[in-house]
Amino acid sequence: TTVSNCIAWGNLAGGMATGGACIVEYSCSQEALAGMNNLSIDPGFADTTYYHLRSRGGNYAGGFFSGGYWTNSPDVSPLIDRGDPGSPYALEPQPNGRCVNLGAYGNTVTASRSLSLGALLLLF
């Protein structure tokens, strides 16, 4: 089994179980995991109800896939555009950084937006 582009954070049972035939890659968890491009950093969720990733470029709020609205957060999740480069990302709204976001909303129409090149230039 391969687990990819996932977030396991705030689990009371101890996080993401791995071992045996389970391969974890391009994922984020509270505990450090062996595997390709795994992260152990705060995901930067916009809230603890819907778990969208924060983004100054725009993140969905107040709903899972519908019934919500777009807003801008004061900071950016480190998990935006951090998924497997071979994974599809085309369903993510523009600007999407041409790489899938980690988590449940990666490659969906409610994925948090990447910062545009213009916004990145303003930051420096």
Side-chain angles (χ1 to χ4, degrees), residues 13-84:
M16 192 181 300
T18 62
C22 183
I23 299 168
V24 180
E25 58 188 20
Y26 294 98
S27 293
C28 178
S29 67
Q30 283 174 266
E31 60 279 341
L33 296 174
M36 186 183 316
N37 294 301
N38 291 321
L39 302 166
S40 182
I41 54 177
D42 185 335
F45 292 126
D47 62 59
T48 56
T49 301
Y50 302 106
Y51 297 96
H52 288 279
L53 301 175
R54 294 186 305 248
S55 176
R56 285 191 302 266
N59 57 269
Y60 202 68
F64 293 104
F65 295 99
S66 63
Y69 57 93
W70 286 93
T71 188
N72 294 333
S73 294
D75 57 355
V76 178
S77 165
L79 304 185
I80 293 175
D81 300 331
R82 294 297 292 266
D84 183 342

Side-chain angles (χ1 to χ4, degrees), residues 81-105:
D81 300 331
R82 294 297 292 266
D84 183 342
S87 295
Y89 62 85
L91 295 179
E92 293 189 3
Q94 293 291 329
N96 62 26
R98 303 180 108 186
C99 191
V100 70
N101 294 349
L102 293 186
Y105 302 105

